[in-house]
Amino acid sequence: MNQKLCFSLALCTVCITTCNVLVEAFGTNNGASNRRDAISSVFKQGGVAAASILLGGSNAVATTTAGGSSTTTAFSVFEVRPDASKSLNPSLQSVKPESLLKKLVVDLNKHQGGAIWLGEHHNSEADHLLQADIIRSIAAMRSGNKNKPISIGLEQVQIQFQNFLDDYVAGNISEEEMLAGVEWQTRWAWSFDGYRPIFELAREQKIPLIALNVDSEDLAEVEQGGLPALNAKDRLFRYIIDPVGFAEFAKAEEFSEYVNYVIQPSYNLHLQMGLLRTTMSGKQLEEPMPFRNFFSGRILWDEAMASAASTWCANNPDGLMFGLVGADHVKFGKGINGRFERLAKGKYSSATLILNPTGTDSRPAGNMNAIIEESSREKLYAQRLTLQLRYLDEGISKKNVGATEKELLRAPQSTGGVLAFSDYIVVNNAGDYVVG
């Protein structure tokens, strides 16, 4: 097969509410060494909502004991029930945590293993405690069978540093040596403190930690020259193991809707805040990064993590990978999780659990109502979540439509299907989660 892929994607654009107040409050990227540092800086300056809509931040806090150590809290589960019928009325159904865990294990047993995606907010200790709880519980349920391996996939670590994770789990190096080896402070930037319980659990139970993320040097090539730039260096296919499927995935109407709702608004907000003159690796750009390159970097990011997870499952029959990834990468099913399912071809199960979501997570980046809700909330109202995205039937065109045609686009018979926000929502404190 000719490895010079031609990625021709017809993408629709949308108008969104821009976030001028955040630009005034935090300014543009002045002095940050790379784009991730700039985003993290926004959070550290007090811009919780800003960090949330850029990289999935949250202002949730962990429960602490009298002695000051973090502890886990009981969690509650809600199943997202999408509705593609004429009524388009999705809902949430409360599920007992033990029932969810059993169902996930049963689904794994019906397949040749699979992945459970735990969509996090990177700066939320509450989310990381939930992740540790879920991993520990399911690992205990599968502990009697050594032929059913478990791993923890990490968006937080780039694939070039896998050997440091292996040495850490084996006990050959300390936590400090591992963090230095994976260059945590410069490559990830979010605090390791919240992740520590997960890493310690992996080391204690000898659960392999698997690096999933694209190397910054390669992502920088794409952010400057698109996917062809990385292909020219013969490094594109270390991340894309199914180039034909990768190209086909982007042609569907539902993916176009996903791009309009999730990726395009994120680009607009990054642009508005002056964050697109620097690549993730710190290289300064003469002009703001065009959408084409931003989009290419995003889909490479998602495809690479899905490919790494799929490869691990193929090499570990009946194995289970817990994917610790940002909620933004798995919401509405066309990020890492949808790509993994495409690669799985029915052999592996896949389940998405988004942790402690708010309206901010389910709306386009830069939506001012979501920002206000996130920064001043008292309760997490479930009805404020967008539980599904509707997309049009493939045969219906959205181009050059008049008033009559717009009515047709809104008509139930024009619906091609819906994208569910997640399979399940998991929250630390159900008392603050109002359903109905």
Side-chain angles (χ1 to χ4, degrees):
M1 176 184 298
N2 183 357
Q3 292 190 336
K4 300 292 183 180
L5 295 181
C6 176
F7 299 99
S8 177
L9 309 176
L11 302 176
C12 300
T13 58
V14 295
C15 294
I16 66 167
T17 305
T18 57
C19 196
N20 292 327
V21 66
L22 291 178
V23 177
E24 293 173 2
F26 304 113
T28 58
N29 176 16
N30 295 318
S33 61
N34 57 55
R35 194 163 80 253
R36 186 178 294 283
D37 284 344
I39 295 167
S40 181
S41 176
V42 169
F43 169 71
K44 292 173 182 175
Q45 292 176 48
V48 175
S52 170
I53 52 186
L54 289 169
L55 278 180
S58 168
N59 60 358
V61 296
T63 303
T64 57
T65 64
S69 60
S70 295
T71 62
T72 56
T73 57
F75 62 86
S76 298
V77 180
F78 301 91
E79 181 180 4
V80 178
R81 296 188 170 181
D83 179 15
S85 71
K86 291 183 179 180
S87 61
L88 292 171
N89 185 29
S91 61
L92 290 177
Q93 177 65 47
S94 179
V95 177
K96 292 181 179 179
E98 58 270 25
S99 298
L100 169 66
L101 298 179
K102 289 178 181 177
K103 182 180 185 303
L104 293 175
V105 171
V106 168
D107 286 348
L108 286 165
N109 292 338
K110 289 180 179 178
H111 295 80
Q112 299 173 35
I116 297 174
W117 304 102
L118 302 177
E120 67 176 47
H121 305 83
H122 302 316
N123 59 299
S124 170
E125 290 188 17
D127 286 9
H128 300 316
L129 289 174
L130 272 179
Q131 289 170 328
D133 262 359
I134 293 168
I135 294 170
R136 185 180 295 106
S137 298
I138 293 182
M141 296 170 70
R142 288 168 61 92
S143 62
N145 193 331
K146 294 183 179 180
N147 295 322
K148 295 183 181 294
I150 290 176
S151 69
I152 300 172
L154 301 171
E155 177 194 359
Q156 301 77 16
V157 180
Q158 296 169 15
I159 63 171
Q160 63 182 305
F161 301 125
Q162 181 61 51
N163 60 310
F164 292 102
L165 296 178
D166 294 340
D167 285 344
Y168 171 77
V169 172
N172 297 330
I173 60 175
S174 66
E175 175 187 294
E176 293 75 15
E177 291 171 316
M178 180 272 295
L179 292 176
V182 303
E183 301 179 17
W184 186 279
Q185 289 297 326
T186 55
R187 301 273 179 163
W188 186 241
W190 301 99
S191 173
F192 180 75
D193 292 343
Y195 294 95
R196 182 172 286 110
I198 300 164
F199 276 67
E200 291 179 345
L201 173 64
R203 184 163 174 153
E204 173 191 332
Q205 298 195 13
K206 302 301 180 186
I207 300 173
L209 295 168
I210 307 298
L212 298 180
N213 213 336
V214 176
D215 294 341
S216 292
E217 295 83 357
D218 290 337
L219 185 59
E221 293 286 347
V222 174
E223 289 180 330
Q224 294 175 77
L227 294 173
L230 194 58
N231 190 37
K233 295 182 178 292
D234 293 325
R235 295 206 298 270
L236 183 61
F237 295 99
R238 68 188 301 200
Y239 303 112
I240 300 176
I241 61 176
D242 173 28
V244 174
F246 175 65
E248 290 295 321
F249 190 80
K251 296 179 180 180
E253 178 65 32
E254 57 262 38
F255 184 73
S256 178
E257 184 64 32
Y258 170 83
V259 171
N260 292 341
Y261 194 87
V262 177
I263 301 180
Q264 180 76 59
S266 178
Y267 172 80
N268 292 350
L269 184 62
H270 279 77
L271 183 65
Q272 182 76 4
M273 295 185 69
L275 296 172
L276 294 179
R277 287 185 176 271
T278 308
T279 68
M280 281 294 187
S281 65
K283 182 177 177 60
Q284 296 295 316
L285 304 176
E286 293 183 2
E287 298 291 335
M289 187 186 307
F291 176 73
R292 171 180 175 270
N293 294 354
F294 180 90
F295 171 74
S296 296
R298 172 61 181 263
I299 62 175
L300 176 66
W301 202 336
D302 288 348
E303 183 76 14
M305 290 191 277
S307 294
S310 177
T311 297
W312 184 88
C313 287
N315 293 335
N316 295 271
D318 295 319
L320 162 62
M321 174 177 282
F322 293 97
L324 273 55
V325 298
D328 198 54
H329 288 281
V330 290
K331 67 184 183 184
F332 297 113
K334 290 299 172 182
I336 304 169
N337 45 359
R339 294 173 181 278
F340 175 82
E341 290 166 13
R342 185 199 84 232
L343 291 164
K345 297 179 179 178
K347 287 194 288 188
Y348 314 126
S349 67
S350 177
T352 300
L353 285 59
I354 293 184
L355 312 178
N356 295 311
T358 68
T360 302
D361 296 299
S362 67
R363 298 176 191 163
N367 182 293
M368 185 57 64
N369 290 333
I371 295 171
I372 293 171
E373 173 191 297
E374 178 74 13
S375 60
S376 62
R377 69 182 183 179
E378 293 181 356
K379 290 183 179 292
L380 308 179
Y381 288 93
Q383 61 266 40
R384 293 180 184 173
L385 290 174
T386 299
L387 295 179
Q388 66 183 30
L389 294 183
R390 168 184 177 262
Y391 57 88
L392 296 177
D393 185 272
E394 293 277 1
I396 297 178
S397 173
K398 292 180 286 188
K399 297 179 180 179
N400 303 318
V401 296
T404 303
E405 288 82 0
K406 287 181 180 178
E407 290 298 322
L408 174 62
L409 297 184
R410 288 191 286 266
Q413 62 267 28
S414 299
T415 300
V418 297
L419 301 175
F421 174 61
S422 180
D423 295 321
Y424 298 93
I425 289 169
V426 182
V427 296
N428 289 88
N429 190 347
D432 287 340
Y433 213 75
V434 182
V435 179

